Amino acid sequence: MNTRAWIVFLDESGVSLLPQIRRTYAPRGRTPLLRHRLNWKRASMAAALGYHSTDFDRGPRLCFHLKPGSYDTIALIEVLEQVKAFYRSEPVILVWDGLSAHWSRAMRAWVTEQDWLTLERLPAYAPELNPVELLWSSLKKRELANLAGDHLADVADATEQGIHRINHNQHLPWSYLAHTGLTIHPPHPPNLRKDQ
């Protein structure tokens, strides 16, 4: 295993035009109403959140992909091609769950041809070990909360705003990793050292 590689966690999630209903504040006596068209159109999101194994000055890096419909092996290979370009073909240890498309015969055949990529599998039923799950939670509780869009483009725009918010706050990706209980050696990035 390459010790001077990016450790990249990848996960997928879905969104639809049905609003993610969350509590909100409103003036007394004026209950907020969400009006939407009961449209079931769905989109899928994939995020790859990477941490360099030895150089914390490089900071966490987030690669994001959004598409109508759902992911299959072919679509995930396209996402991995985007990850390869994003990390400029540097060595990547990709950590993801046991979704069948992640470990299909076609995916394994494609991965064997990639000298930059090593796959590692998260334990079964352990989404709490993937920092990208916290990224999804953050998006769905903030930018996508109570969003009653008419088109998938409305959802895409709100999601993109959330990705920009997370990208512009270097502490959030580190906090997602810290919340999982996982560490990357050295254990503390410069801005989160215990002696400060």
Side-chain angles (χ1 to χ4, degrees), residues 20-66:
Q20 305 262 339
I21 299 172
R22 298 286 186 258
R23 287 184 158 195
T24 187
Y25 293 98
R28 186 180 302 218
R30 290 197 260 170
T31 303
L33 298 175
L34 286 177
R35 299 187 192 281
H36 58 90
R37 300 178 183 206
L38 288 173
N39 192 327
W40 293 91
K41 285 186 180 175
R42 294 189 56 79
S44 294
M45 311 178 286
L49 183 54
Y51 307 88
H52 199 274
S53 61
T54 58
D55 187 358
F56 284 107
D57 291 335
R58 298 178 79 175
R61 298 195 62 207
L62 174 59
C63 179
F64 180 76
H65 188 267
L66 180 75

